[in-house]
Amino acid sequence: MPSTPFSAEVVRAVTRHMNDDHADDTLLICRALGGVPSATAARMVGLDATGGDFAATVDGAEVAVRLAWSAPLTERAQVRHEVVRMYREARARLGAPAEGEGTGR
């Protein structure tokens, strides 16, 4: 089995989408799950069957962050499920309210 079931085009599309549309979510995930709670920025730089690769900015320098999926992935649609799972886990770990539980403002 190849190290990744995802073509270079898929990896570029997923990372571009995460970085362009979900930068705040990516930062939250890296802070809560990636061991870089003081990160000021983060971006997704790659992915394969077993996890996602991120670059987080800590004290002005980029550090590599590798986060494992809950199970090996074989299809592109599974990536979204895993990123949403990590986002929800990160919110819970940081004590953030669940989506839709606003402050009433």
Side-chain angles (χ1 to χ4, degrees), residues 39-104:
T40 56
R43 59 192 177 91
M44 187 175 213
V45 296
L47 63 113
D48 59 29
T50 60
D53 295 307
F54 302 84
T57 303
V58 179
D59 295 328
E62 274 197 342
V63 297
V65 175
R66 172 79 176 172
L67 295 170
W69 310 130
S70 63
L73 307 185
T74 59
E75 299 176 11
R76 181 179 180 168
Q78 294 171 309
V79 175
R80 181 182 186 281
H81 173 79
E82 282 299 303
V83 171
V84 169
R85 177 195 60 78
M86 285 193 283
Y87 172 73
R88 289 179 177 155
E89 184 179 331
R91 288 180 63 87
R93 189 170 290 184
L94 295 176
E99 291 179 90
E101 291 181 12
T103 59

